[in-house]
Amino acid sequence: QVQLVESGGGLVQAGGSLRLSCAASGSIFPVNVMGWYRQAPGKQRELVAFITSSGSTNYASSVKGRFTISRDNAKNTVYLQMNSLKPEDTAVYYCKLSEVAAYWGQGTQVTVSS
């Protein structure tokens, strides 16, 4: 059974930074994609960024240039460095691992005050 545990959310002022972490445990296929999604109140869950096991990345246009996704394959951990945060970045952020199956974390709240 694969489990994902996120950490690093919190309250920050606009212009500030946060770093999210997501650690995966269990039997994980080595070729996989790890990503971050977010869901704001009343909105659909949307992709923020993803990174493949070989290091290729992709970002939503709304976060490009402000957020950086990275991973440590030895630790099965993915990170999301979020800089220049805006109030519209406020959401619950979810980690997702996609391999043979897809797994989700429990989510971590990020709140950006204006």
Side-chain angles (χ1 to χ4, degrees):
Q1 183 71 17
V2 174
Q3 290 187 325
L4 303 176
V5 179
E6 298 128 333
S7 60
L11 172 65
V12 65
Q13 289 188 332
S17 299
L18 283 174
R19 189 191 193 211
L20 306 182
S21 299
C22 173
S25 61
S27 180
I28 301 168
F29 193 69
V31 179
N32 59 66
V33 178
M34 297 189 78
W36 289 96
Y37 290 71
R38 66 186 182 188
Q39 188 166 19
K43 295 188 177 181
Q44 290 190 330
R45 191 172 297 188
E46 63 176 2
L47 173 69
V48 175
F50 70 78
I51 183 168
T52 69
S53 48
S54 60
S56 297
T57 60
N58 192 51
Y59 295 90
S61 57
S62 59
V63 306
K64 199 172 292 184
R66 300 188 297 122
F67 291 9
T68 302
I69 190 169
S70 61
R71 63 187 289 166
D72 184 334
N73 288 335
K75 297 180 179 180
N76 287 321
T77 299
V78 64
Y79 306 96
L80 186 68
Q81 178 66 44
M82 305 185 293
N83 298 328
S84 301
L85 282 161
K86 304 175 181 180
E88 50 264 44
D89 294 317
T90 295
V92 177
Y93 284 70
Y94 296 91
C95 174
K96 181 182 180 182
L97 169 67
S98 301
E99 32 119 292
V100 176
Y103 305 91
W104 291 90
Q106 80 285 356
T108 185
Q109 177 70 47
V110 171
T111 303
V112 184
S113 62
S114 56

XYZ file of all heavy atoms in Angstrom:
855
model
N 0.833 -1.181 0.000
C 0.000 0.000 0.000
C 0.880 1.246 0.000
O 1.770 1.371 0.836
C -0.926 0.020 1.232
C -1.893 1.181 1.282
C -2.999 1.071 0.252
O -3.235 -0.002 -0.298
N -3.669 2.176 -0.027
N 0.631 2.128 -0.935
C 1.411 3.364 -1.035
C 0.720 4.451 -0.219
O -0.498 4.619 -0.290
C 1.543 3.809 -2.493
C 2.235 5.160 -2.582
C 2.309 2.762 -3.302
N 1.501 5.177 0.563
C 0.982 6.299 1.326
C 1.779 7.551 1.014
O 3.001 7.487 0.826
C 1.051 6.015 2.825
C 0.057 4.949 3.287
C 0.014 4.806 4.785
O 1.013 4.939 5.470
N -1.177 4.523 5.316
N 1.089 8.672 0.970
C 1.713 9.967 0.734
C 1.423 10.864 1.931
O 0.261 10.995 2.339
C 1.168 10.618 -0.541
C 1.301 9.824 -1.835
C 0.636 10.575 -2.979
C 2.760 9.576 -2.159
N 2.451 11.499 2.448
C 2.294 12.395 3.592
C 2.861 13.756 3.227
O 4.062 13.885 2.947
C 2.991 11.841 4.848
C 2.834 12.816 6.013
C 2.424 10.478 5.210
N 1.983 14.756 3.233
C 2.395 16.114 2.889
C 2.695 16.921 4.149
O 2.133 16.655 5.214
C 1.281 16.835 2.107
C 0.936 16.190 0.789
C -0.542 15.919 0.656
O -1.201 15.742 1.699
O -1.051 15.869 -0.473
N 3.527 17.921 3.993
C 3.827 18.839 5.084
C 4.287 20.162 4.501
O 4.619 20.244 3.314
C 4.908 18.264 6.003
O 6.100 18.033 5.280
N 4.274 21.199 5.347
C 4.818 22.483 4.934
C 3.820 23.574 4.651
O 4.206 24.715 4.381
N 2.540 23.266 4.714
C 1.547 24.310 4.480
C 1.491 25.275 5.646
O 2.139 25.080 6.674
N 0.711 26.345 5.467
C 0.571 27.316 6.538
C 0.027 28.628 6.044
O -0.490 28.720 4.931
N 0.166 29.644 6.898
C -0.311 30.993 6.603
C 0.892 31.884 6.323
O 1.858 31.896 7.090
C -1.108 31.532 7.791
C -1.532 32.999 7.742
C -2.511 33.222 6.600
C -2.149 33.407 9.077
N 0.821 32.616 5.227
C 1.919 33.499 4.847
C 1.341 34.759 4.219
O 0.245 34.724 3.640
C 2.879 32.774 3.876
C 2.183 32.454 2.571
C 4.146 33.559 3.647
N 2.058 35.856 4.333
C 1.623 37.094 3.699
C 1.954 37.076 2.217
O 2.883 36.372 1.776
C 2.298 38.286 4.360
C 1.793 38.590 5.764
C 2.345 39.892 6.311
O 3.440 40.317 5.934
N 1.587 40.527 7.193
N 1.214 37.850 1.481
C 1.478 37.963 0.049
C 2.930 38.395 -0.175
O 3.448 39.254 0.534
C 0.530 38.972 -0.583
N 3.551 37.754 -1.153
C 4.959 38.003 -1.437
C 5.898 37.064 -0.716
O 7.097 37.029 -1.022
N 5.365 36.313 0.213
C 6.176 35.388 0.986
C 6.404 34.068 0.282
O 6.008 33.878 -0.871
N 7.041 33.147 1.011
C 7.399 31.842 0.451
C 7.011 30.719 1.401
O 6.944 30.906 2.610
C 8.918 31.766 0.211
O 9.342 32.738 -0.714
N 6.749 29.580 0.807
C 6.526 28.337 1.542
C 7.128 27.198 0.750
O 7.227 27.274 -0.480
C 5.029 28.060 1.749
C 4.273 28.832 2.820
C 2.784 28.500 2.743
C 4.811 28.535 4.203
N 7.504 26.140 1.459
C 8.011 24.938 0.804
C 7.191 23.749 1.281
O 7.153 23.448 2.477
C 9.479 24.713 1.128
C 10.123 23.600 0.310
C 11.476 23.245 0.852
N 12.256 22.414 -0.058
C 13.143 21.512 0.340
N 13.365 21.331 1.633
N 13.824 20.796 -0.552
N 6.545 23.090 0.326
C 5.780 21.891 0.616
C 6.629 20.657 0.349
O 7.447 20.648 -0.571
C 4.521 21.826 -0.238
C 3.573 23.034 -0.192
C 2.353 22.767 -1.066
C 3.171 23.362 1.215
N 6.398 19.626 1.169
C 7.065 18.341 0.974
C 6.022 17.239 0.932
O 4.976 17.338 1.575
C 8.041 18.053 2.113
O 9.045 19.029 2.197
N 6.306 16.193 0.188
C 5.423 15.026 0.120
C 6.304 13.787 0.072
O 7.044 13.587 -0.901
C 4.530 15.108 -1.106
S 3.551 13.612 -1.394
N 6.195 12.974 1.100
C 6.984 11.754 1.183
C 6.098 10.552 0.881
O 5.039 10.390 1.491
C 7.595 11.622 2.570
N 6.549 9.737 -0.048
C 5.818 8.526 -0.416
C 6.481 7.316 0.219
O 7.712 7.222 0.279
C 5.792 8.375 -1.935
N 5.665 6.397 0.689
C 6.180 5.161 1.273
C 5.386 3.986 0.731
O 4.258 4.134 0.270
C 6.102 5.221 2.800
O 4.745 5.361 3.217
N 5.996 2.795 0.819
C 5.343 1.598 0.310
C 6.053 1.075 -0.919
O 7.171 1.463 -1.220
N 5.371 0.206 -1.632
C 5.938 -0.397 -2.828
C 5.656 0.509 -4.021
O 4.536 0.571 -4.509
C 5.335 -1.784 -3.058
O 5.870 -2.372 -4.216
N 6.681 1.207 -4.460
C 6.529 2.225 -5.499
C 7.285 1.814 -6.749
O 8.475 1.508 -6.697
C 7.041 3.582 -4.997
C 6.257 4.011 -3.749
C 6.920 4.638 -6.090
C 6.871 5.171 -3.016
N 6.592 1.804 -7.873
C 7.235 1.522 -9.150
C 8.211 2.655 -9.453
O 7.853 3.829 -9.350
C 6.169 1.403 -10.235
C 6.663 0.828 -11.515
C 7.035 -0.512 -11.588
C 6.770 1.616 -12.658
C 7.494 -1.049 -12.781
C 7.231 1.081 -13.847
C 7.595 -0.244 -13.906
N 9.451 2.335 -9.824
C 10.473 3.383 -9.971
C 10.215 4.399 -11.080
O 10.710 5.529 -11.003
C 11.749 2.587 -10.244
C 11.297 1.269 -10.735
C 9.999 0.998 -10.037
N 9.459 3.998 -12.086
C 9.118 4.952 -13.148
C 7.762 5.545 -12.803
O 6.735 4.858 -12.852
C 9.079 4.272 -14.527
C 8.688 5.292 -15.605
C 10.433 3.657 -14.844
N 7.773 6.817 -12.442
C 6.518 7.409 -11.987
C 6.542 8.916 -12.181
O 7.562 9.497 -12.574
C 6.279 7.075 -10.509
C 7.392 7.566 -9.612
O 7.610 8.771 -9.460
N 8.121 6.641 -8.988
N 5.422 9.508 -11.909
C 5.279 10.963 -11.960
C 4.732 11.411 -10.619
O 3.767 10.825 -10.106
C 4.316 11.408 -13.081
C 4.147 12.928 -13.075
C 4.826 10.927 -14.439
N 5.351 12.436 -10.055
C 4.836 13.018 -8.820
C 4.442 14.457 -9.102
O 5.131 15.174 -9.837
C 5.883 12.962 -7.706
C 6.277 11.554 -7.331
S 7.311 11.461 -5.850
C 6.072 11.665 -4.551
N 3.325 14.847 -8.529
C 2.836 16.185 -8.840
C 2.095 16.814 -7.682
O 1.796 16.158 -6.681
N 1.854 18.090 -7.856
C 1.079 18.869 -6.896
C -0.158 19.427 -7.600
O -0.074 19.946 -8.716
C 1.910 20.023 -6.336
C 2.998 19.588 -5.422
C 4.312 19.378 -5.744
C 2.878 19.294 -4.024
N 5.007 18.961 -4.641
C 4.147 18.911 -3.558
C 1.818 19.331 -3.107
C 4.402 18.556 -2.232
C 2.052 18.980 -1.796
C 3.330 18.602 -1.365
N -1.271 19.302 -6.906
C -2.529 19.871 -7.355
C -3.048 20.775 -6.241
O -2.600 20.671 -5.097
C -3.557 18.761 -7.620
C -3.243 17.917 -8.840
C -2.176 17.025 -8.846
C -4.020 18.010 -9.988
C -1.886 16.250 -9.953
C -3.755 17.238 -11.110
C -2.688 16.366 -11.088
O -2.408 15.610 -12.191
N -3.993 21.623 -6.568
C -4.598 22.458 -5.538
C -6.080 22.628 -5.811
O -6.535 22.550 -6.962
C -3.911 23.817 -5.439
C -4.081 24.700 -6.655
C -3.227 25.963 -6.506
N -3.378 26.876 -7.629
C -2.643 27.962 -7.814
N -1.681 28.287 -6.917
N -2.854 28.756 -8.853
N -6.800 22.866 -4.729
C -8.231 23.082 -4.834
C -8.637 24.213 -3.898
O -8.494 24.099 -2.679
C -9.011 21.811 -4.498
C -10.496 21.919 -4.771
C -11.184 20.565 -4.747
O -10.662 19.588 -4.209
N -12.365 20.501 -5.345
N -9.112 25.281 -4.496
C -9.606 26.419 -3.736
C -11.096 26.220 -3.466
O -11.770 25.476 -4.188
C -9.373 27.704 -4.520
N -11.641 26.873 -2.450
C -13.067 26.725 -2.135
C -13.951 27.065 -3.332
O -13.767 28.104 -3.976
C -13.273 27.725 -0.998
C -11.941 27.840 -0.359
C -10.947 27.726 -1.475
N -14.850 26.167 -3.646
C -15.780 26.392 -4.736
C -15.213 26.181 -6.124
O -15.894 26.431 -7.123
N -13.972 25.719 -6.194
C -13.332 25.500 -7.496
C -12.912 24.045 -7.666
O -12.810 23.299 -6.699
C -12.118 26.421 -7.653
C -12.456 27.900 -7.694
C -11.241 28.720 -8.038
C -11.595 30.195 -8.157
N -10.402 31.020 -8.532
N -12.660 23.679 -8.903
C -12.197 22.331 -9.189
C -10.714 22.187 -8.857
O -9.960 23.170 -8.870
C -12.427 21.998 -10.667
C -13.898 21.820 -11.034
C -14.067 21.251 -12.433
O -13.238 21.481 -13.303
N -15.132 20.502 -12.640
N -10.326 20.975 -8.584
C -8.910 20.696 -8.338
C -8.150 20.905 -9.646
O -8.586 20.470 -10.720
C -8.723 19.266 -7.838
C -7.348 18.972 -7.319
C -7.294 17.595 -6.661
N -8.165 17.501 -5.496
C -8.188 16.460 -4.669
N -7.369 15.435 -4.871
N -9.017 16.441 -3.651
N -7.004 21.569 -9.540
C -6.214 21.867 -10.738
C -4.761 21.474 -10.538
O -4.240 21.476 -9.423
C -6.297 23.364 -11.072
C -5.713 24.281 -10.010
C -5.719 25.748 -10.406
O -6.203 26.095 -11.490
O -5.203 26.570 -9.606
N -4.128 21.159 -11.655
C -2.708 20.818 -11.629
C -1.875 22.074 -11.370
O -2.104 23.117 -11.987
C -2.294 20.195 -12.959
C -0.807 19.945 -13.154
C -0.320 18.834 -12.232
C -0.493 19.608 -14.610
N -0.901 21.942 -10.479
C 0.051 23.021 -10.233
C 1.365 22.737 -10.968
O 1.863 23.563 -11.711
C 0.323 23.191 -8.727
C 1.397 24.241 -8.485
C -0.964 23.550 -7.988
N 1.896 21.539 -10.745
C 3.157 21.161 -11.377
C 3.352 19.667 -11.229
O 2.818 19.055 -10.306
C 4.335 21.901 -10.751
N 4.127 19.080 -12.140
C 4.506 17.691 -11.971
C 5.947 17.496 -12.409
O 6.510 18.305 -13.152
C 3.555 16.732 -12.687
C 3.613 16.761 -14.195
C 4.636 16.122 -14.889
C 2.620 17.401 -14.934
C 4.679 16.131 -16.269
C 2.652 17.406 -16.311
C 3.677 16.772 -16.986
N 6.526 16.391 -11.939
C 7.907 16.041 -12.274
C 7.986 14.541 -12.452
O 7.450 13.772 -11.646
C 8.887 16.542 -11.185
C 10.330 16.238 -11.576
C 8.550 15.983 -9.812
C 11.365 16.968 -10.694
N 8.642 14.113 -13.516
C 8.798 12.688 -13.769
C 9.988 12.141 -12.994
O 10.816 12.901 -12.468
C 9.003 12.417 -15.258
O 10.292 12.919 -15.647
C 7.926 13.100 -16.101
N 10.095 10.825 -12.945
C 11.212 10.210 -12.242
C 12.546 10.519 -12.923
O 13.596 10.421 -12.287
C 11.012 8.701 -12.114
O 10.639 8.133 -13.343
N 12.513 10.924 -14.184
C 13.730 11.300 -14.893
C 14.025 12.791 -14.781
O 15.042 13.256 -15.289
C 13.642 10.907 -16.368
O 12.553 11.564 -16.983
N 13.111 13.544 -14.133
C 13.378 14.950 -13.874
C 12.698 15.954 -14.772
O 12.885 17.170 -14.600
N 11.907 15.511 -15.709
C 11.181 16.458 -16.553
C 10.060 17.100 -15.743
O 9.404 16.435 -14.950
C 10.594 15.741 -17.769
O 11.621 15.214 -18.578
N 9.862 18.392 -15.980
C 8.871 19.138 -15.201
C 7.864 19.841 -16.105
O 8.126 20.099 -17.283
C 9.546 20.194 -14.316
O 10.268 21.109 -15.138
C 10.490 19.554 -13.321
N 6.733 20.173 -15.505
C 5.709 20.940 -16.199
C 4.963 21.765 -15.153
O 4.736 21.294 -14.034
C 4.734 20.022 -16.935
C 3.852 20.790 -17.890
O 4.332 21.566 -18.711
N 2.556 20.598 -17.791
N 4.611 23.001 -15.530
C 3.959 23.911 -14.593
C 2.684 24.507 -15.184
O 2.600 24.741 -16.398
C 4.896 25.074 -14.240
C 6.141 24.676 -13.501
C 7.298 24.347 -14.192
C 6.168 24.640 -12.110
C 8.453 23.976 -13.520
C 7.320 24.282 -11.418
C 8.451 23.942 -12.135
O 9.599 23.584 -11.468
N 1.738 24.798 -14.320
C 0.597 25.591 -14.731
C 1.091 27.002 -15.038
O 2.021 27.496 -14.389
C -0.451 25.629 -13.629
N 0.464 27.642 -15.990
C 0.913 28.974 -16.394
C 0.816 29.972 -15.234
O 1.601 30.915 -15.158
C 0.104 29.468 -17.583
O -1.289 29.482 -17.276
N -0.138 29.750 -14.338
C -0.358 30.684 -13.231
C 0.767 30.668 -12.203
O 0.886 31.607 -11.406
C -1.686 30.373 -12.540
O -1.693 29.046 -12.048
N 1.590 29.629 -12.203
C 2.649 29.529 -11.202
C 4.036 29.530 -11.828
O 5.044 29.578 -11.105
C 2.492 28.267 -10.325
C 1.101 28.216 -9.714
C 2.803 26.998 -11.100
N 4.110 29.493 -13.123
C 5.410 29.422 -13.808
C 6.243 30.647 -13.447
O 5.755 31.775 -13.469
C 5.187 29.338 -15.316
C 6.368 28.805 -16.094
C 6.000 28.564 -17.561
C 5.020 27.410 -17.691
N 4.723 27.095 -19.116
N 7.489 30.404 -13.074
C 8.384 31.488 -12.687
C 8.346 31.806 -11.201
O 9.216 32.513 -10.689
N 7.326 31.292 -10.501
C 7.218 31.536 -9.051
C 7.403 30.251 -8.242
O 7.931 30.288 -7.132
C 5.847 32.139 -8.720
C 5.568 33.469 -9.402
C 4.277 34.098 -8.881
N 3.095 33.282 -9.164
C 2.274 32.816 -8.229
N 2.494 33.085 -6.959
N 1.220 32.082 -8.573
N 6.930 29.140 -8.785
C 7.005 27.858 -8.086
C 8.050 26.972 -8.758
O 8.222 27.023 -9.981
C 5.667 27.132 -8.138
C 4.553 27.765 -7.336
C 4.682 29.022 -6.760
C 3.347 27.087 -7.174
C 3.652 29.594 -6.034
C 2.309 27.637 -6.447
C 2.468 28.900 -5.884
N 8.702 26.133 -7.942
C 9.676 25.179 -8.460
C 9.408 23.818 -7.839
O 9.359 23.697 -6.612
C 11.108 25.608 -8.139
O 11.354 26.905 -8.703
C 12.104 24.614 -8.735
N 9.240 22.824 -8.685
C 9.044 21.455 -8.213
C 10.356 20.703 -8.346
O 11.099 20.892 -9.318
C 7.907 20.746 -8.989
C 7.546 19.419 -8.315
C 8.271 20.554 -10.464
C 6.269 18.788 -8.868
N 10.639 19.859 -7.367
C 11.856 19.041 -7.395
C 11.563 17.738 -6.665
O 10.532 17.603 -6.013
C 13.030 19.779 -6.744
O 12.745 20.078 -5.389
N 12.479 16.793 -6.798
C 12.269 15.518 -6.132
C 13.587 14.887 -5.742
O 14.624 15.147 -6.363
C 11.457 14.559 -6.999
C 12.084 14.156 -8.301
C 11.112 13.343 -9.158
N 10.892 12.015 -8.594
C 9.904 11.196 -8.977
N 9.056 11.581 -9.927
N 9.759 10.006 -8.429
N 13.507 14.038 -4.731
C 14.642 13.229 -4.285
C 14.200 11.779 -4.454
O 13.423 11.266 -3.646
C 14.976 13.551 -2.833
C 16.197 12.820 -2.331
O 16.510 11.731 -2.865
O 16.832 13.300 -1.391
N 14.677 11.141 -5.515
C 14.223 9.779 -5.805
C 14.640 8.792 -4.717
O 13.922 7.825 -4.455
C 14.754 9.325 -7.158
C 14.056 10.022 -8.309
O 12.922 10.470 -8.178
N 14.731 10.129 -9.441
N 15.779 9.030 -4.102
C 16.240 8.122 -3.045
C 15.302 8.146 -1.848
O 15.162 7.145 -1.126
C 17.651 8.499 -2.608
N 14.652 9.288 -1.632
C 13.729 9.428 -0.506
C 12.271 9.344 -0.929
O 11.377 9.486 -0.094
C 13.971 10.769 0.196
C 15.344 10.910 0.815
C 15.495 12.264 1.496
C 16.863 12.408 2.143
N 17.018 13.732 2.815
N 12.021 9.154 -2.227
C 10.644 9.144 -2.741
C 9.876 10.367 -2.251
O 8.723 10.270 -1.805
C 9.908 7.865 -2.323
C 10.385 6.649 -3.097
O 10.641 6.737 -4.292
N 10.534 5.546 -2.409
N 10.523 11.501 -2.345
C 9.944 12.743 -1.844
C 9.935 13.799 -2.945
O 10.907 13.932 -3.690
C 10.737 13.261 -0.632
O 10.690 12.284 0.418
C 10.157 14.562 -0.114
N 8.830 14.525 -3.012
C 8.706 15.626 -3.958
C 8.509 16.910 -3.162
O 7.888 16.904 -2.100
C 7.549 15.390 -4.953
C 6.199 15.360 -4.236
C 7.549 16.435 -6.048
N 9.055 17.990 -3.693
C 8.994 19.288 -3.031
C 8.349 20.311 -3.963
O 8.425 20.198 -5.180
C 10.392 19.775 -2.663
C 11.187 18.785 -1.845
C 12.084 17.920 -2.468
C 11.041 18.712 -0.467
C 12.812 17.003 -1.728
C 11.770 17.803 0.288
C 12.640 16.947 -0.352
O 13.362 16.038 0.381
N 7.742 21.316 -3.360
C 7.230 22.446 -4.119
C 7.656 23.716 -3.407
O 7.141 24.033 -2.330
C 5.703 22.394 -4.250
C 5.101 23.459 -5.162
C 5.500 23.205 -6.618
C 3.579 23.509 -5.029
N 8.609 24.419 -3.992
C 9.051 25.703 -3.471
C 8.158 26.775 -4.070
O 8.109 26.917 -5.300
C 10.508 25.961 -3.816
C 11.035 27.306 -3.343
C 11.082 27.422 -1.834
O 11.513 26.496 -1.149
N 10.644 28.558 -1.305
N 7.463 27.499 -3.226
C 6.523 28.511 -3.684
C 7.007 29.884 -3.239
O 7.092 30.160 -2.035
C 5.129 28.237 -3.117
C 4.611 26.839 -3.430
S 2.915 26.557 -2.878
C 3.139 26.637 -1.106
N 7.347 30.716 -4.209
C 7.822 32.071 -3.942
C 6.823 33.090 -4.495
O 5.971 32.754 -5.319
C 9.191 32.287 -4.573
C 10.246 31.366 -4.022
O 10.214 30.971 -2.851
N 11.206 31.003 -4.864
N 6.962 34.312 -4.043
C 6.092 35.411 -4.510
C 4.618 35.004 -4.449
O 3.859 35.180 -5.405
C 6.468 35.802 -5.943
O 7.816 36.200 -6.016
N 4.230 34.460 -3.325
C 2.863 33.951 -3.179
C 1.837 35.066 -3.265
O 2.081 36.207 -2.818
C 2.724 33.199 -1.862
C 3.318 31.778 -1.896
C 3.580 31.270 -0.494
C 2.396 30.839 -2.648
N 0.698 34.729 -3.837
C -0.402 35.668 -4.028
C -1.640 35.140 -3.302
O -1.767 33.921 -3.101
C -0.725 35.806 -5.517
C 0.452 36.214 -6.385
C 0.058 36.204 -7.850
C 1.231 36.579 -8.744
N 0.851 36.582 -10.180
N -2.561 36.015 -2.941
C -3.797 35.534 -2.289
C -4.525 34.471 -3.115
O -5.135 33.554 -2.542
C -4.628 36.815 -2.149
C -3.612 37.898 -2.027
C -2.489 37.489 -2.946
N -4.448 34.561 -4.431
C -5.118 33.576 -5.274
C -4.444 32.210 -5.263
O -4.968 31.253 -5.832
C -5.241 34.077 -6.719
C -3.958 34.591 -7.323
C -3.823 36.111 -7.218
O -4.129 36.667 -6.137
O -3.390 36.727 -8.224
N -3.300 32.094 -4.604
C -2.665 30.783 -4.425
C -3.263 30.037 -3.228
O -2.932 28.867 -3.001
C -1.162 30.939 -4.204
C -0.440 31.480 -5.426
O -0.746 31.034 -6.540
O 0.449 32.352 -5.247
N -4.129 30.695 -2.476
C -4.759 30.059 -1.328
C -5.589 28.856 -1.762
O -6.439 28.963 -2.643
C -5.656 31.071 -0.588
O -4.842 32.104 -0.036
C -6.441 30.389 0.525
N -5.301 27.709 -1.174
C -5.981 26.466 -1.543
C -5.472 25.340 -0.648
O -4.495 25.510 0.090
C -5.708 26.122 -3.010
N -6.132 24.199 -0.776
C -5.570 22.971 -0.215
C -4.707 22.351 -1.309
O -5.173 22.170 -2.443
C -6.674 21.987 0.230
C -6.043 20.700 0.742
C -7.551 22.619 1.298
N -3.486 22.071 -0.984
C -2.533 21.502 -1.941
C -2.414 19.998 -1.702
O -2.192 19.561 -0.574
C -1.177 22.179 -1.804
C -1.151 23.555 -2.434
C -1.860 24.612 -1.870
C -0.438 23.800 -3.602
C -1.863 25.867 -2.457
C -0.426 25.055 -4.191
C -1.149 26.079 -3.622
O -1.151 27.324 -4.208
N -2.550 19.245 -2.785
C -2.513 17.787 -2.727
C -1.330 17.269 -3.533
O -1.059 17.737 -4.640
C -3.783 17.189 -3.308
C -5.045 17.518 -2.546
C -5.793 18.639 -2.889
C -5.488 16.709 -1.504
C -6.950 18.955 -2.189
C -6.639 17.017 -0.806
C -7.367 18.137 -1.157
O -8.519 18.444 -0.474
N -0.698 16.258 -2.992
C 0.362 15.551 -3.683
C -0.243 14.334 -4.373
O -1.151 13.683 -3.832
C 1.414 15.118 -2.657
S 2.729 14.073 -3.286
N 0.253 14.013 -5.560
C -0.219 12.848 -6.299
C 0.969 12.067 -6.850
O 1.923 12.645 -7.381
C -1.118 13.272 -7.463
C -1.680 12.113 -8.276
C -2.512 12.623 -9.438
C -3.089 11.476 -10.253
N -3.862 11.961 -11.430
N 0.910 10.763 -6.698
C 1.900 9.854 -7.278
C 1.199 9.012 -8.326
O 0.191 8.357 -8.025
C 2.511 8.962 -6.201
C 3.360 7.783 -6.684
C 4.629 8.289 -7.364
C 3.727 6.863 -5.526
N 1.705 9.035 -9.545
C 1.122 8.252 -10.629
C 2.144 7.234 -11.120
O 3.241 7.611 -11.550
C 0.712 9.165 -11.789
O -0.226 10.133 -11.369
N 1.784 5.972 -11.022
C 2.609 4.912 -11.613
C 1.644 3.904 -12.203
O 0.859 4.287 -13.079
C 3.586 4.334 -10.587
C 3.117 4.323 -9.140
C 3.032 2.947 -8.537
O 2.146 2.183 -8.983
O 3.830 2.641 -7.641
N 1.660 2.675 -11.784
C 0.660 1.718 -12.252
C -0.726 2.182 -11.792
O -1.711 2.077 -12.524
C 0.967 0.304 -11.734
C -0.129 -0.656 -12.149
C 2.333 -0.153 -12.248
N -0.788 2.695 -10.583
C -2.017 3.279 -10.044
C -1.728 4.724 -9.647
O -0.600 5.187 -9.746
C -2.502 2.465 -8.848
N -2.759 5.409 -9.219
C -2.601 6.798 -8.771
C -2.940 6.887 -7.292
O -3.908 6.272 -6.822
C -3.506 7.723 -9.575
N -2.133 7.654 -6.575
C -2.304 7.810 -5.143
C -2.292 9.298 -4.792
O -1.541 10.073 -5.389
C -1.182 7.093 -4.379
C -1.046 5.634 -4.731
C -0.194 5.232 -5.757
C -1.775 4.666 -4.049
C -0.067 3.897 -6.094
C -1.660 3.319 -4.384
C -0.802 2.944 -5.411
O -0.694 1.616 -5.747
N -3.108 9.655 -3.798
C -3.220 11.036 -3.365
C -2.847 11.167 -1.894
O -3.118 10.267 -1.086
C -4.651 11.545 -3.538
C -5.077 11.714 -4.949
C -5.677 10.779 -5.748
C -4.942 12.896 -5.756
N -5.918 11.307 -6.991
C -5.494 12.604 -7.029
C -4.421 14.173 -5.531
C -5.533 13.542 -8.064
C -4.470 15.105 -6.557
C -5.008 14.790 -7.808
N -2.276 12.312 -1.556
C -2.067 12.647 -0.166
C -3.336 13.237 0.426
O -4.344 13.418 -0.261
N -3.259 13.567 1.712
C -4.445 14.043 2.428
C -4.663 15.542 2.238
O -5.742 16.045 2.547
C -4.318 13.732 3.925
C -3.450 14.694 4.719
C -1.957 14.507 4.502
O -1.521 13.595 3.787
N -1.157 15.367 5.121
N -3.668 16.236 1.725
C -3.790 17.669 1.483
C -3.213 18.502 2.608
O -3.229 18.094 3.775
N -2.708 19.668 2.237
C -2.186 20.607 3.224
C -2.656 22.010 2.837
O -2.620 22.393 1.669
C -0.649 20.530 3.315
O -0.188 21.386 4.368
C 0.039 20.920 2.015
N -3.124 22.755 3.818
C -3.709 24.065 3.572
C -2.620 25.120 3.404
O -1.701 25.214 4.230
C -4.628 24.477 4.715
C -5.241 25.861 4.582
C -6.268 25.949 3.473
O -7.144 25.085 3.365
N -6.173 26.998 2.655
N -2.750 25.902 2.354
C -1.903 27.072 2.143
C -2.811 28.294 2.086
O -3.739 28.344 1.273
C -1.089 26.956 0.840
C -0.377 28.270 0.527
C -0.093 25.808 0.937
N -2.549 29.246 2.959
C -3.339 30.463 3.000
C -2.416 31.659 2.839
O -1.458 31.801 3.595
C -4.116 30.583 4.320
O -4.948 29.430 4.496
C -4.983 31.833 4.323
N -2.717 32.491 1.853
C -1.909 33.678 1.576
C -2.771 34.899 1.864
O -3.800 35.111 1.217
C -1.409 33.698 0.124
C -0.488 34.890 -0.100
C -0.692 32.392 -0.213
N -2.344 35.700 2.820
C -3.110 36.888 3.198
C -2.618 38.103 2.415
O -1.432 38.214 2.094
C -2.978 37.142 4.692
O -1.631 37.395 5.029
N -3.546 39.006 2.151
C -3.188 40.196 1.356
C -2.732 41.324 2.262
O -2.837 41.271 3.471
C -4.388 40.642 0.533
O -5.495 40.870 1.372
